[in-house]
Amino acid sequence: MVGIVIVSHSKKLAEGVRELAAQMVQGKVPLAVAAGIDDPENPLGTDAMQVYQAIASIYSDEGVIVLMDLGSAVMSAEMALEFLPEELRDKVHLCEAPLVEGAIAAAVAAAAGSHIQQVIAEARGALVAKATQLGVAHNLTPNPSPQAERGAHTDGVRSSDEPQTKEIHLVIRNKLGLHARPAAKFVATAARFQSQIKVRNITKGTEAVRADSINQVSTLGVRQGHELAITATGSDADEALAALQTLVETNFGEVLPDVETQRRSDTQIHIPSSHHFLQGIPASNGVAIAPVFLYRPTPIDIQQYHVDDVEAEWQRLQVAIQIAHEEIEAVFSQASIQIGDAEAAIFDAHLLFLEDPVVLEAVQQRIFEQHYNAEAAWQAVVDELANNYRSIEDSYLQERVADVVDVGQRVLRLLTRFQSHIRISDDSHINFHFSEPAILIATDLSPSDTARLDPAKVLGICTTSGSAISHSAIIARRLGIPAIVGLPPEILQVADNTRLALDGESGRVWIEPEPHIQTALEAKRDAQQVAYQQALATAFSPAISRDQKRISVFANIGSISDTQAALSLGAEGVGLFRTEFLYLERTTPPTEEEQLAVYQSIAQLLNTRPLIIRTLDVGGDKPIPYLNFPHETNPFLGWRGIRFCLNNPDIFKTQLRAILKASLGHQIKIMFPMIATVREIQAAKAILKEVQAELGQAGISFDENMEVGIMVETPSAVVLADKLAAEVDFFSLGTNDLSQYVMAADRTHPRVATLVDALHPAVLRMIQQTVQAAHQAGIWVGLCGEVAADPLAAPILLGLGLDEVSLNPQAIPGFKQAIAQLTMAQAETIVASAMDQDSAADVRELVRKL
């Protein structure tokens, strides 16, 4: 396959271009970067030797195309050719195409199997501005871009040699129709195929729209019971329609709750009548009484102006979009821990917005044809899209305006380097200038800001905009924060620190509540808390089967606030502290002191309960930009987990020192991720001993008997479990990764993700083998994958003989309740039958029947 080298003065710019091109072709094309120079004072520049090494790293007989920015980048590339043997030099081509568009066009052509001259022609088709620098003739006829060809195919005009269009009709059964989360899955699935795919809403009589556009699909207004017509034209049309049909018929893999139905209190408390209240729309149940904090975000002032260098302006936007993508991925990861995977999937739609070809083409047109600056072009398209949503006669879809604006503002902040989001803590956008908890008042809150709120600090939310079915309201309910939306504008006139009371059930707000109102609301709040505690009574009891078999139930966490939530839901300890969250949204790794403060805070909250800290697990689907991860064709199989840490001993030792210092007086255990060989765990333990010796020499105390364990998440670790068990004190099965490695399927790839299921008999046999090896060696074994949150998995996990499970805090009560209904004999019988099934679906059906 043709390889592509990107040469730029700026390493960050080049990495951004490579990442963008890689995403367009799912990492199928060899891409290398030669950018920047090794000078901390002046890192901008190019180096001929870097270019030579980049060419050599991806060279193939099919050829290499080199894209450059102007000036010394071109000279460095030309000089690099001189280093190559003459027989290789003829197959390396310097191309004058623009960096961003050229890289994308070339990558798409290369991924399609085009020969080197076709790839060069596609790259040149973007722009010919650099032709002069390399002496290439200007009379080039640009080839149609892949996007232009796609648009031509979707206009309904088909030549005689094109494949026939296939069509299927499907009915949407999801409670809320094709809202953002299932729409995101629909678009992601459609985009994986080469065929041109369109979809229309038969029930509403809409026109067909592109299935790879999140906004066009969302604006179809598809509700429960609506019928869709999906067409596909291309070589893989049958496969595409089959995948989309499976997606629809399985309800997009989720059972949606009725978010419009408010949870009512079982305790009837009479609130005395009063004329002094404001009426809003109930959005999240609960009572809050606290001082007010008025959130006043400063608007971003966008000025439109003419730009001459449209290519540079487009590149600037691409960099901002890439950084926004990384930020949203960080929000998504944190939200998965805090509010659960289903609600966190809201941010899948935010990611797809950034990749929406309709949006990007509209912005690109304004920049290249009308010479808009990036901010003005982006804002114009976002405003137009938001207005389109507002005009739809569908209240649910109208609420998607908040998501569009949320993503739009994020990109604008990056383009303008505007800091409107003052930080409340390391991971929140809103700043409180006082220490006591408060009720937050705002015109509106974005889903991103709502997901980052700390329920211990934000006791209630009052907004003048929004509805009970907005994504912000859904997130508030999951966080357990009482919320009222649609309040009158006078709520915004309330001064900071004014005492406020709100009743999320009735939608009423009292400013400086009278004593009898406050007393009644306090009684209602207390009654709700008592009822809640009673409902959680089983969660605070051990998970014990009917024949007295006990399994420990721990929580997966990513922060101090997660720990508090876990304890409130009955967690008996922390089975997985994902420390990578400490490294997100930063430009440098956290210091030893910063890490120590977090570890100590969590350990103190847990008191004598176990705290298992997983060392830094990055790479794969969790790259961190400032750690300089290389581009990898298969990142899940690459430089990740313990492999990264062993290659970066300074970062590794800093974390180990912080964990050891925090261990004294607490039940802290350390766990190494992605162990695949015996030598890896031996090397990790050797570094741990070095750090222990250094602390001992410095007279610093730590728990010298701290348990050391590993994540079992690779097939090799399962096969070597007997040898690995001799090296450690415990195992923890990471079924998320183990499932994808056992099934040889990327869990982020829509076309194969259904294969990645921890209840598949192949994975269950791996778990059983690991448990048996651990117990034979006299060590305990736990599990910290998402499968533990599935109620149908409880009898199987019990029957497999696991000593401990660790899961998202919200799932703890349900798991304990399921265990209490079983006997060990029943569970073992279910496991024996499950091993003989043919699929994960068969296993689930078996459990349902039994």
Side-chain angles (χ1 to χ4, degrees):
M1 182 177 290
V2 173
I4 300 169
V5 173
I6 300 165
V7 182
S8 172
H9 290 71
S10 167
K11 186 173 183 179
K12 289 183 178 179
L13 175 60
E15 291 286 0
V17 174
R18 178 172 66 178
E19 178 65 21
L20 184 65
Q23 286 187 11
M24 295 291 287
V25 295
Q26 290 84 51
K28 295 178 181 177
V29 177
L31 296 163
V33 163
I37 57 176
D38 189 16
D39 181 356
E41 299 296 325
N42 183 23
L44 298 179
T46 57
D47 181 342
M49 185 55 64
Q50 268 196 49
V51 181
Y52 165 75
Q53 291 170 344
I55 294 170
S57 70
I58 63 169
Y59 181 84
S60 79
D61 288 338
E62 294 186 45
V64 175
I65 175 175
V66 182
L67 297 164
M68 310 139 285
D69 37 24
L70 294 173
S72 68
V74 178
M75 291 186 287
S76 294
E78 290 174 327
M79 189 178 299
L81 290 185
E82 300 299 321
F83 299 147
L84 290 170
E86 188 170 349
E87 64 271 17
L88 303 184
R89 198 178 304 160
D90 292 340
K91 295 185 178 180
V92 179
H93 302 263
L94 307 188
C95 183
E96 77 286 357
L99 203 61
V100 177
E101 293 88 343
I104 293 173
V108 171
S114 301
H115 59 70
I116 186 69
Q117 293 302 327
Q118 290 173 319
V119 174
I120 292 172
E122 288 291 336
R124 287 174 176 167
L127 289 174
V128 293
K130 294 175 184 168
T132 304
Q133 181 70 22
L134 293 174
V136 179
H138 288 156
N139 58 345
L140 297 172
T141 302
N143 288 339
S145 69
Q147 288 178 336
E149 289 185 352
R150 187 183 189 97
H153 280 301
T154 56
D155 285 339
V157 179
R158 186 166 55 86
S159 62
S160 59
D161 59 347
E162 288 182 358
Q164 185 177 0
T165 297
K166 307 290 183 67
E167 180 171 328
I168 59 173
H169 289 197
L170 299 170
V171 176
I172 300 297
R173 294 183 174 84
N174 289 59
K175 183 71 174 180
L176 294 176
L178 205 59
H179 68 97
R181 282 167 283 176
K185 291 186 177 182
F186 186 94
V187 170
T189 301
R192 297 290 184 180
F193 294 91
Q194 295 298 316
S195 295
Q196 286 75 48
I197 304 172
K198 284 193 168 187
V199 57
R200 61 188 176 91
N201 187 336
I202 297 175
T203 305
K204 296 186 69 173
T206 68
E207 295 293 327
V209 300
R210 287 170 56 166
D212 63 349
S213 168
I214 183 65
N215 292 295
Q216 289 199 4
V217 170
S218 295
T219 54
L220 287 173
V222 180
R223 304 308 298 269
Q224 186 181 39
H226 284 193
E227 185 178 7
L228 299 183
I230 307 172
T231 61
T233 306
S235 58
D236 56 1
D238 289 332
E239 292 89 343
L241 293 178
L244 291 170
Q245 181 170 350
T246 299
L247 195 64
V248 172
E249 290 180 347
T250 57
N251 297 321
F252 300 88
E254 60 183 31
V255 178
L256 294 176
D258 183 357
V259 300
E260 298 186 46
T261 302
Q262 291 298 300
R263 179 167 52 91
R264 300 295 177 179
S265 170
D266 292 332
T267 307
Q268 298 299 318
I269 301 293
H270 175 67
I271 305 299
S273 61
S274 171
H275 298 294
H276 305 291
F277 66 83
L278 299 178
Q279 182 66 55
I281 302 169
S284 180
N285 192 31
V287 172
I289 305 170
V292 161
F293 173 74
L294 184 60
Y295 177 44
R296 307 176 183 87
T298 306
I300 303 175
D301 183 24
I302 299 300
Q303 301 294 327
Q304 179 183 328
Y305 55 86
H306 180 90
V307 294
D308 292 319
D309 192 346
V310 292
E311 180 191 339
E313 202 68 8
W314 176 246
Q315 290 179 2
R316 191 164 69 89
L317 177 63
Q318 294 302 307
V319 172
I321 289 175
Q322 178 59 32
I323 297 172
H325 199 283
E326 293 170 359
E327 289 184 354
I328 294 172
E329 284 183 329
V331 174
F332 176 84
S333 297
Q334 181 63 34
S336 294
I337 297 294
Q338 195 167 12
I339 64 176
D341 292 333
E343 277 69 27
I346 288 167
F347 297 104
D348 272 336
H350 287 211
L351 292 171
L352 285 171
F353 177 91
L354 293 176
E355 302 164 7
D356 192 320
V358 175
V359 171
L360 295 178
E361 288 167 15
V363 177
Q364 186 178 37
Q365 182 182 29
R366 283 171 169 79
I367 293 175
F368 281 84
E369 297 181 10
Q370 301 178 41
H371 290 262
Y372 276 27
N373 55 305
E375 294 90 340
W378 178 261
Q379 183 67 66
V381 172
V382 169
D383 286 347
E384 182 178 324
L385 185 59
N387 289 331
N388 288 342
Y389 275 106
R390 292 187 183 100
S391 65
I392 298 173
E393 294 181 1
D394 185 309
S395 59
Y396 186 86
L397 287 175
Q398 286 174 355
E399 288 303 324
R400 301 294 71 77
V401 172
D403 297 281
V404 172
V405 173
D406 190 357
V407 181
Q409 290 290 298
R410 184 182 295 277
V411 174
L412 285 179
R413 281 197 298 267
L414 292 166
L415 282 171
T416 61
R417 298 181 180 179
F418 182 84
Q419 298 299 321
S420 65
H421 49 294
I422 309 170
R423 305 175 90 80
I424 175 179
S425 64
D426 287 342
D427 61 354
S428 184
H429 280 227
I430 302 172
N431 183 39
F432 290 99
H433 298 287
F434 46 88
S435 57
E436 64 179 316
I439 292 174
L440 179 64
I441 294 179
T443 301
D444 201 2
L445 284 180
S446 70
S448 295
D449 281 336
T450 308
R452 293 166 179 261
L453 295 179
D454 182 353
K457 294 180 179 179
V458 181
L459 302 187
I461 298 171
C462 295
T463 67
T464 56
S465 300
S467 79
I469 58 173
S470 69
H471 282 160
S472 294
I474 293 171
I475 294 170
R477 285 195 288 275
R478 288 295 292 168
L479 291 172
I481 301 176
I484 301 174
V485 299
L487 284 160
E490 51 260 43
I491 191 70
L492 300 175
Q493 306 304 316
V494 177
D496 281 341
N497 295 315
T498 301
R499 194 159 188 79
L500 203 74
L502 69 84
D503 180 5
E505 186 177 43
S506 66
R508 292 182 176 183
V509 174
W510 291 264
I511 301 169
E512 296 287 6
E514 299 162 294
H516 67 288
I517 296 292
Q518 180 164 328
T519 300
L521 287 171
E522 288 172 345
K524 182 173 183 177
R525 180 188 61 192
D526 294 344
Q528 289 177 337
Q529 290 175 349
V530 169
Y532 179 68
Q533 293 302 322
Q534 290 174 343
L536 291 177
T538 56
F540 291 96
S541 300
I544 301 178
S545 68
R546 288 162 53 196
D547 53 356
Q548 303 305 301
K549 172 65 177 178
R550 179 171 181 175
I551 182 170
S552 298
V553 183
F554 295 169
N556 300 334
I557 67 163
S559 67
I560 296 172
S561 62
D562 293 342
T563 310
Q564 295 167 329
L567 292 175
S568 71
L569 290 165
E572 299 162 20
V574 168
L576 171 62
F577 177 23
R578 296 180 171 106
T579 58
E580 56 270 19
F581 291 118
L582 301 178
Y583 293 73
L584 296 173
E585 296 193 348
R586 303 174 59 98
T587 56
T588 58
T591 64
E592 180 181 325
E593 292 71 22
E594 289 173 325
Q595 294 188 61
L596 176 59
V598 174
Y599 301 151
Q600 285 179 329
S601 297
I602 293 175
Q604 288 167 1
L605 280 173
L606 292 171
N607 198 2
T608 58
R609 300 178 184 90
L611 168 58
I612 301 177
I613 301 177
R614 182 177 69 187
T615 57
L616 181 60
D617 185 15
V618 290
D621 59 338
K622 295 173 289 188
I624 295 178
Y626 61 81
L627 295 181
N628 299 317
F629 276 89
H631 169 73
E632 295 179 295
T633 303
N634 295 302
F636 279 111
L637 302 179
W639 198 43
R640 60 173 303 200
I642 198 65
R643 300 166 186 174
F644 170 84
C645 289
L646 292 177
N647 290 149
N648 291 272
D650 291 342
I651 293 175
F652 195 27
K653 285 186 172 182
T654 297
Q655 182 173 37
L656 294 178
R657 279 194 300 271
I659 294 172
L660 287 168
K661 287 182 178 180
S663 67
L664 194 64
H666 301 288
Q667 198 181 158
I668 291 179
K669 310 174 195 292
I670 196 167
M671 181 164 65
F672 299 116
M674 280 300 296
I675 296 294
T677 69
V678 175
R679 288 189 176 181
E680 284 176 338
I681 182 57
Q682 291 173 340
K685 286 169 60 182
I687 294 176
L688 177 62
K689 287 182 179 179
E690 287 179 23
V691 176
Q692 289 173 325
E694 292 169 2
L695 293 180
Q697 292 173 0
I700 298 173
S701 300
F702 56 89
D703 180 5
E704 297 182 5
N705 297 314
M706 181 176 64
E707 290 187 18
V708 175
I710 63 168
M711 295 278 289
V712 176
E713 46 195 336
T714 65
S716 67
V718 176
V719 174
L720 297 172
D722 56 336
K723 291 189 175 183
L724 292 170
E727 300 286 341
V728 296
D729 300 302
F730 66 91
F731 287 160
S732 185
L733 284 145
T735 52
N736 296 351
D737 273 324
L738 180 61
S739 299
Q740 73 170 348
Y741 292 140
V742 169
M743 303 306 296
D746 183 347
R747 56 189 166 95
T748 67
H749 195 310
R751 293 176 70 176
V752 298
T754 54
L755 292 172
V756 184
D757 192 324
L759 289 185
H760 192 284
V763 183
L764 294 180
R765 293 186 184 201
M766 287 283 192
I767 297 173
Q768 185 180 57
Q769 184 177 336
T770 304
V771 173
Q772 290 172 347
H775 288 169
Q776 287 172 5
I779 67 172
W780 64 270
V781 57
L783 181 146
C784 58
E786 290 181 9
V787 67
D790 185 346
L792 291 175
I796 292 178
L797 300 184
L798 178 66
L800 285 168
L802 288 160
D803 302 292
E804 174 261 351
V805 294
S806 188
L807 55 161
N808 289 335
Q810 294 82 3
I812 290 174
F815 183 85
K816 287 189 174 183
Q817 186 178 33
I819 295 297
Q821 297 171 2
L822 296 163
T823 66
M824 192 64 187
Q826 289 172 329
E828 289 175 342
T829 299
I830 292 173
V831 167
S833 297
M835 296 296 181
D836 292 332
Q837 302 303 309
D838 295 329
S839 68
D842 291 342
V843 171
R844 286 189 166 83
E845 185 60 29
L846 169 73
V847 177
R848 288 190 185 98
K849 288 179 179 178
L850 296 178

